[in-house]
Each structure stands twice: as C-alpha cells, then as structure tokens.
Amino acid sequence: MTKREPKTAEELLDAVGPAFGKLRRSSLLEVEDPISHKDLSRTLVLRIVLEAEQDDTEGEAGGQSGAGEITVGAVARHLGVDPSVASRMVSDCISAGHLIRAASQQDGRRTVLQLSPEGRELMARFVRHQRSAFECITADWTERERLDFARLMLKYVDSQDALRHRRPGKDAPR
C-alpha cells in the first residue's frame, strides 16, 4: 500500500495531529535495549521529576534554590490528570524503586519527589532507546534532514510548553 502524500498546505497541516497520535502508539519500536510498556509509562513521571531537578540546578546558579521541587500535585498538573491518577502513577514508580519521597527543603511539611539511582538509570536507558529509535526511523534521511527535524521538534515542544505556562488573558483560547 502506497501512502498518499498531502498535496496542499492545508492537507499537510491537517496531517500533523494524527501523526502525533501515531508517534505515541509506536514509541515502543523494537530497537536496541527496548523499554517495557510499564517502564514507558513510568518515564512520563520520571521525566517531570528529572526536568525539575535540572531546573533546580540551573536555579541554584541564579540563587533560586528549591524552585524545582516536584510534588504529586505538580505531576498531576504537568500530565493533565486527576491528582488520584498521578498519586497512583507516583506510587508505582516508588514501588518499582525509581522514585523516593523526601521532605521539602523549603517547607519540611511538604513531601517532594526525587529520582533514585535506579530511576536515573532507567531514564539514561530511555534516552539511549529514544536516540536509537530516532536513528533507526530516520536511517534513510540526510544528516541535514535529521538536524532540521530535531531543531524544529524542540522548537515545537518549547512553544507548547510556553503556551502551557502563559497566564489566562485576552489571548487565551475560549
């Protein structure tokens, strides 16, 4: 079966949404060091905690210690799920040994999440898996195409993140 290429700009742009859906469904591509379905779900939570830790490290350089602390509520907001769903996801990561609960350095009454050494190893393995999958999928692309796609994908994600963090106002969708 030959895949029909979109002919117009409108068709091309309409094809983006379904393409993202296919990306998520095919994320377990069998490449070197495959990731299980369960661990793939866990990486959603672990990525949020890892990015917060990285933001905190960058914030410390600017004198903003503790800015990157992540709670179960923050995980729920990042994933756009109910707090009870996030709590179950976090509990699963803790049971698997990938996350630990710790007292907040800013407010000892709060419990924050931190990656365990096993969680860091899973994330390192996941990054290797993602890179291997990208290289496999784009094997017949030119180096320029690979780099252009990577740059534009990162730009897209940054723009999406900026929309998520904007304050509601006159420009917000209704």
Side-chain angles (χ1 to χ4, degrees), residues 33-53:
D33 202 13
I35 302 291
S36 71
H37 284 280
K38 191 68 170 168
D39 281 346
L40 181 65
S41 293
R42 290 174 178 145
T43 62
L44 294 173
V45 173
L46 300 180
R47 170 68 59 205
I48 293 166
V49 175
L50 180 63
E51 288 177 357
E53 288 179 358

Side-chain angles (χ1 to χ4, degrees), residues 9-102:
E10 196 70 24
E11 287 178 345
L12 182 61
L13 294 174
D14 285 345
V16 171
F20 277 121
K22 288 179 183 178
L23 279 176
R24 178 70 180 138
R25 290 191 305 272
S26 66
S27 60
L28 290 175
L29 182 68
E30 291 298 322
V31 294
E32 183 180 320
D33 202 13
I35 302 291
S36 71
H37 284 280
K38 191 68 170 168
D39 281 346
L40 181 65
S41 293
R42 290 174 178 145
T43 62
L44 294 173
V45 173
L46 300 180
R47 170 68 59 205
I48 293 166
V49 175
L50 180 63
E51 288 177 357
E53 288 179 358
Q54 291 169 342
D55 289 348
D56 194 36
T57 301
E58 292 169 9
E60 284 177 4
Q64 300 174 332
S65 181
E69 293 185 337
I70 288 289
T71 62
V72 173
V75 169
R77 284 189 301 281
H78 278 277
L79 293 177
V81 298
D82 189 76
S84 64
V85 172
S87 181
R88 285 191 298 274
M89 293 173 78
V90 165
S91 292
D92 177 62
C93 290
I94 291 169
S95 295
H98 300 306
L99 280 180
I100 56 173
R101 294 184 196 269

Side-chain angles (χ1 to χ4, degrees), residues 152-172:
L152 291 170
M153 177 61 95
L154 293 173
K155 182 177 180 178
Y156 179 90
V157 170
D158 286 345
S159 294
Q160 182 182 31
D161 196 44
L163 282 175
R164 190 166 49 98
H165 289 102
R166 75 172 181 212
R167 294 182 186 261
K170 62 182 179 184
D171 296 334

